[in-house]
Amino acid sequence: MKKSLPESLDLELLTRELLDVLSPDAVSEVAEQQVETAIKLAHRYLAQADTERAAHFFAGWLKLTVSQHENLSSEIFGKPEMLDGFFASLRAQISQDIDWVQFGSAAKLALSHESEQVVNVVFIGDCLIWDIALQVQILLAAKGVTVRPAIFAQRVGADLRQKLQAIEGTIDLFFYSPFSYELSGAYADLQKKIVPSQAARENVQREVEDVGKTLALLIDGFEAPIYLHRVSGVIQNSGTLPGAVRFYATQFQRTFTIRWLNRQLHSLVDTLNTPQIHWLPEDKPLQQQSALSLGQVSYDAGELHPTLLAQRLAESEYLAAILASVWLKERKVLITDLDNTLWEGVIGEGEVKHHLHRQEMLKQLKEKGVLLAVSSKNDEDRVSWEGAILNDSDFVAYEVNWNLKLKSLASISEQLNIKPSSFVFLDDRADERFLVQESLPEVLTLDPDDEFTWHLLSYWLESLKGGATGDRTALYQQRAERTKFLDADLESDKAAAYGSLSLELDLTLADFDDIDRVTELINRTNQFNISGYRTTHREVQQWIEDGRVIVGRLADRFGPMGIVSVLVFERDMAIRVEHFVLSCRAFGFGVEDAMLDVLKRLQLNVQGELKKSLVNTACHDVFQRNGFDQVQEDNWCWEPGEVSPGPDWLSINDQTTVQ
């Protein structure tokens, strides 16, 4: 018969042992309490004979604690065996019937393992944020994503901003909940009053202004998206009658406060006017459950006392926001099945019911620059878009046939000249998704019948809000027409074929309206990118202010292609090409040569470094073709001399005025 676990442990002894592993020096009372919480979490789930959860909660909370305190060592993440002595002491106080091997192995793995997909996340808020950060860390680990968390819970705005300014390294996402439980004392006080005073409202108004200062710091100091909580008005409660009485007694006031405070926050964000801020709907769980039940504390583990609200936000909003950042950030193409995916039923075999909300989501993604393609097993002449939101003109590739989906995806990749690592694939059939996932693991395969898929895509759409790309479908459709037009004549006479396109190239120095496109083109271009460099909006803005960015805009008989090339240079005694990219839609037309000619016409030495890789083979010969001499393995130099007028088929309008 299993022994029951003791109701209490010698926490003082166990905490001391764990602290001895984490720090040779004295630690703060807060750090000690948080280390104790890790032990309480392990004890709680061991008591339920759930060793896996005990290990994950213990390790997850320990990661959060170590990230919070500078004098706690992170050495255990690389050497989790350092905890063996502590585990032995824990075992001595608890029943021998626990599977200690499983617990220890799972805890060590959770502490030490980092997947290939790692995301650096900053959480700003009170205990709601701690609850969420722990749970979402565990949820993401199960999906092969490692979260490196940093938590900031300073209640004084100036202290918070001082800590945020000290952040080092790259941050992928920020989550900020300024008005949840107790981070704002003025807000917490207002929530408890049946009839609040004018002074109480003014205090909260000052807190809103302080939130604006913090957001301004994040916008100015970081490029990462900021997910900002709306105000839900949920308050923590123990589930007892007195808690319910207090909840309903203040309900009228809280309803007023929520509406008023959300208006204030929206006004603040409108003033900041940046696409970096995204609203994270803390109030969304209220659509499913009452505010009273959402605020009920599930259990008390010292520094951790999670509510149902924290659980709901972790498994929905936070999970989707982080996965969208990790999985979808670099994706360009969404390939969708048709039958039982965009509509219910099999078209041509009776009436179908359109999934209009799904089609609307894809339509909006297209308008934000995501390319849509079809891969469907059917006869093309049976497909009808009658009654649908989408139609065949919304797609840049249309594979409706009886081929294997793998063959269709390969065809789409070839047509668009885009690698499968940029694909998202939607198909209702598990076998089709499995075959694609097995053969093309770089493709993100999603089940359209899983509600979370559309939640995830909604966060992808939100992350594209305010982006530079716009609707790119027309550009790819023009490219297809251009290719078809050229195919007949290109082999016999390249000059005549290109000449018939009426190609026009405008060369200018970039201005501030070009920041988004310049940033995007540098960050998304791989095949023709001499440095492989990635940049930020802030850095591009500085380059443009210094007059160091040349952009090439291309158009032909099929329409404008927009900015297709960016060259960033540095000028001193000589000119140095710092960054140089060309969109694949402009390959072969001589645009890259015309860009370099702008610098060569200054009749100074022009230098450039070409960092070759397996990906950027399209630009390996760009300097050699343009008369540069190789001075070292990666370095090239052009000395003043004759500059060619460019190919006959390209009409060049140089307005760069580079002196």
Side-chain angles (χ1 to χ4, degrees):
M1 181 177 178
K2 272 192 173 182
K3 297 179 184 177
S4 61
L5 294 171
E7 293 184 3
S8 62
L9 302 172
D10 188 343
L11 285 171
E12 185 176 349
L13 173 64
L14 291 170
T15 302
R16 188 67 263 156
E17 286 204 26
L18 188 48
L19 281 170
D20 286 344
V21 176
L22 295 172
S23 175
D25 305 316
V27 299
S28 67
E29 184 179 346
V30 172
E32 186 173 335
Q33 290 171 347
Q34 289 174 348
V35 168
E36 183 180 291
T37 295
I39 300 167
K40 288 181 177 179
L41 284 168
H43 180 222
R44 168 182 168 77
Y45 289 108
L46 287 172
Q48 300 173 8
D50 193 341
T51 52
E52 283 288 323
R53 184 165 292 190
H56 291 152
F57 271 72
F58 169 80
W61 184 262
L62 214 53
K63 281 186 175 181
L64 294 179
T65 300
V66 170
S67 72
Q68 182 82 353
H69 302 280
E70 293 178 358
N71 57 348
L72 293 182
S73 172
S74 60
E75 189 179 359
I76 60 165
F77 302 149
K79 299 179 181 178
E81 63 273 9
M82 293 170 64
L83 290 171
D84 286 343
F86 164 75
F87 288 152
S89 295
L90 183 63
R91 177 176 181 173
Q93 292 194 37
I94 298 180
S95 165
Q96 297 298 309
D97 294 328
I98 296 296
D99 189 341
W100 289 102
V101 173
Q102 183 187 34
F103 170 73
S105 298
K108 290 176 185 178
L109 182 63
L111 281 168
S112 62
H113 177 70
E114 275 204 352
S115 62
E116 291 184 6
Q117 295 178 312
V118 179
V119 57
N120 298 296
V121 184
V122 168
F123 302 88
I124 308 170
D126 54 18
C127 54
L128 174 74
I129 288 290
W130 280 87
D131 300 350
I132 293 171
L134 174 61
Q135 294 181 67
V136 80
Q137 184 186 155
I138 295 168
L139 290 167
L140 284 163
K143 293 184 176 294
V145 177
T146 297
V147 175
R148 290 183 187 149
I151 292 187
F152 294 83
Q154 288 76 17
R155 298 189 181 190
V156 177
D159 293 342
L160 171 62
R161 289 187 287 278
Q162 184 179 20
K163 291 289 186 182
L164 290 170
Q165 282 178 314
I167 291 176
E168 296 180 355
T170 301
I171 300 301
D172 296 302
L173 294 114
F174 287 91
F175 291 98
Y176 185 14
S177 179
F179 300 106
S180 45
Y181 299 148
E182 300 282 345
L183 186 66
S184 164
Y187 166 73
D189 183 56
L190 190 63
Q191 289 282 80
K192 298 170 185 174
K193 295 182 180 296
I194 298 176
V195 182
S197 64
Q198 181 62 28
R201 290 198 179 97
E202 290 173 356
N203 287 339
V204 175
Q205 180 63 52
R206 281 192 288 272
E207 293 278 7
V208 173
E209 294 168 3
D210 198 66
V211 169
K213 294 177 183 178
T214 300
L215 288 172
L217 183 148
L218 297 179
I219 294 164
D220 186 56
F222 303 91
E223 293 282 332
I226 304 160
Y227 285 91
L228 181 65
H229 281 239
R230 290 189 177 92
V231 185
S232 67
V234 171
I235 54 178
Q236 290 172 305
N237 67 85
S238 60
T240 60
L241 181 59
V245 171
R246 283 194 299 273
F247 177 86
Y248 288 114
T250 59
Q251 189 170 25
F252 177 80
Q253 165 56 27
R254 283 185 297 101
T255 301
F256 172 82
T257 298
I258 294 165
R259 292 173 180 170
W260 171 74
L261 194 46
N262 276 323
R263 285 198 299 270
Q264 299 296 310
L265 284 175
H266 275 269
S267 177
L268 171 65
V269 171
D270 289 344
T271 302
L272 292 169
N273 189 29
T274 173
Q276 257 182 277
I277 297 178
H278 308 281
W279 288 107
L280 194 141
E282 185 174 356
D283 55 348
K284 191 170 183 178
L286 291 168
Q287 299 170 12
Q288 288 89 33
Q289 287 174 287
S290 72
L292 180 62
S293 63
L294 287 169
Q296 188 169 327
V297 174
S298 303
Y299 58 85
D300 187 352
E303 292 295 298
L304 180 72
H305 27 269
T307 60
L308 188 58
L309 175 64
Q311 179 186 333
R312 291 288 181 267
L313 289 171
E315 65 191 13
S316 56
E317 311 310 320
Y318 274 70
L319 187 64
I322 296 174
L323 286 177
S325 174
V326 176
W327 286 353
L328 295 166
K329 187 176 181 180
E330 301 297 328
R331 306 284 172 173
K332 301 177 182 178
V333 185
L334 189 150
I335 303 170
T336 181
D337 180 39
L338 296 178
D339 295 329
N340 293 308
T341 297
L342 293 189
W343 48 70
E344 184 180 331
V346 177
I347 206 155
E349 294 185 3
E351 190 175 347
V352 299
K353 180 181 178 182
H354 285 282
H355 290 305
L356 297 179
H357 68 289
R358 296 182 182 182
Q359 294 184 29
E360 179 62 33
M361 174 68 71
L362 299 194
K363 188 85 168 181
Q364 291 180 41
L365 285 168
K366 168 183 172 283
E367 290 166 358
K368 288 299 180 183
V370 176
L371 301 173
L372 302 183
V374 168
S375 173
S376 175
K377 288 184 177 179
N378 212 318
D379 294 316
E380 187 173 352
D381 58 2
R382 296 171 66 180
V383 175
S384 168
W385 296 96
E386 184 179 354
I389 290 174
L390 294 168
N391 58 62
D392 53 8
S393 66
D394 290 310
F395 300 94
V396 294
Y398 208 70
E399 291 289 317
V400 181
N401 47 51
W402 294 101
N403 295 333
L404 288 172
K405 294 293 177 82
L406 283 171
K407 185 174 181 181
S408 292
L409 264 62
S411 175
I412 292 169
S413 177
E414 184 178 356
Q415 290 174 54
L416 303 181
N417 193 26
I418 295 177
K419 293 183 177 180
S421 57
S422 293
F423 289 176
V424 178
F425 176 60
L426 290 177
D427 198 301
D428 66 294
R429 289 183 52 169
D431 58 336
E432 298 284 11
R433 296 195 305 273
F434 175 79
L435 289 172
V436 170
Q437 204 163 25
E438 283 291 296
S439 299
L440 296 171
E442 65 270 34
V443 174
L444 177 62
T445 59
L446 297 174
D447 180 2
D449 291 330
D450 183 348
E451 186 179 344
F452 185 77
T453 290
W454 300 97
H455 197 46
L456 179 64
L457 294 181
S458 73
Y459 271 88
W460 188 20
L461 176 65
E462 177 67 17
S463 71
L464 297 169
K465 177 180 165 183
T469 309
D471 187 346
R472 299 166 67 228
T473 301
L475 293 174
Y476 275 82
Q477 290 171 338
Q478 289 170 14
R479 177 184 166 184
E481 292 176 25
R482 188 176 299 117
T483 301
K484 184 178 179 181
F485 179 80
L486 288 172
D487 278 347
D489 303 318
L490 196 54
E491 289 296 326
S492 58
D493 190 345
K494 176 180 177 179
Y498 280 1
S500 66
L501 283 176
S502 303
L503 288 159
E504 296 182 2
L505 177 65
D506 288 331
L507 302 173
T508 63
L509 289 176
D511 60 30
F512 293 127
D513 289 339
D514 301 325
I515 290 176
D516 285 345
R517 175 56 180 162
V518 169
T519 306
E520 176 193 47
L521 194 57
I522 291 175
N523 288 342
R524 293 171 69 99
T525 301
N526 297 308
Q527 295 179 69
F528 193 112
N529 185 330
I530 67 167
S531 66
Y533 185 78
R534 297 297 183 255
T535 187
T536 65
H537 281 77
R538 192 168 296 100
E539 188 174 37
V540 170
Q541 180 177 346
Q542 187 60 58
W543 292 340
I544 292 175
E545 285 179 2
D546 296 341
R548 297 170 47 205
V549 184
I550 299 171
V551 295
R553 291 178 170 83
L554 190 63
D556 67 6
R557 64 183 294 168
F558 295 102
M561 302 181 214
I563 294 177
V564 297
S565 186
V566 173
L567 188 153
V568 183
F569 65 93
E570 181 85 50
R571 177 171 179 174
D572 196 356
M573 297 299 292
I575 298 173
R576 182 165 186 82
V577 179
E578 297 285 336
H579 311 294
F580 189 15
V581 298
L582 176 71
S583 170
C584 60
R585 74 180 73 140
F587 283 6
F589 298 145
V591 173
E592 66 273 30
D593 306 331
M595 297 284 284
L596 288 173
D597 286 346
V598 173
L599 301 180
K600 290 160 70 174
R601 278 193 285 271
L602 298 175
Q603 292 298 310
L604 296 171
N605 284 354
V606 182
Q607 302 166 352
E609 183 179 10
L610 176 59
K611 296 180 179 177
K612 292 184 179 180
S613 71
L614 295 176
V615 177
N616 70 348
T617 54
C619 62
H620 283 186
D621 67 343
V622 65
F623 288 131
Q624 184 179 18
R625 281 192 297 101
N626 280 277
F628 285 65
D629 295 319
Q630 190 172 15
V631 290
Q632 288 180 347
E633 183 179 358
D634 297 330
N635 293 295
W636 296 78
C637 182
W638 180 86
E639 295 182 355
E642 186 178 353
V643 181
S644 89
D648 293 339
W649 61 75
L650 188 61
S651 174
I652 301 171
N653 179 22
D654 183 1
Q655 302 176 28
T656 54
T657 64
V658 177
Q659 300 295 323

